[in-house]
Amino acid sequence: SWSWNANDDVCGICQSPFEGICPGVKYPGEDCPVVWGKCGHAFHLQCVSKWLGLPSSKNSCPICRQEWEFGQNPVNDRAQAPA
């Protein structure tokens, strides 16, 4: 069994589990990667790409509305931070 190391269990856009698949994809994992914004919210790459392509998105995070910038997994960043 495998899982994404995300702060949530589901994509904030499609509401599908990260361990499952996003709409339009046949296989989990490589075909449906999870990406994080600098704001810390996680989405399937396909979902956030589609969102950002909408004029109404105004290039913002669909959850917090901060300007969208791709970031790194904040869970991994905390795990690698020096004590």
Side-chain angles (χ1 to χ4, degrees):
S1 146
W2 64 273
S3 68
W4 292 103
N5 195 9
N7 291 333
D8 202 351
D9 294 332
V10 299
C11 173
I13 296 172
C14 72
Q15 298 299 301
S16 294
F18 288 130
E19 283 77 21
I21 58 171
C22 59
V25 175
K26 292 183 181 184
Y27 304 105
E30 293 292 323
D31 292 335
C32 196
V34 176
V35 295
W36 286 261
K38 287 198 174 188
C39 60
H41 293 116
F43 307 97
H44 294 117
L45 176 61
Q46 290 88 337
C47 295
V48 78
S49 295
K50 190 173 183 179
W51 164 260
L52 294 170
L54 298 172
S56 59
S57 78
K58 299 181 182 174
N59 199 44
S60 64
C61 172
I63 293 178
C64 67
R65 301 296 186 189
Q66 290 184 39
E67 183 177 350
W68 179 263
E69 290 185 60
F70 286 96
Q72 294 184 7
N73 180 345
V75 174
N76 286 345
D77 289 349
R78 284 195 298 270
Q80 295 173 2

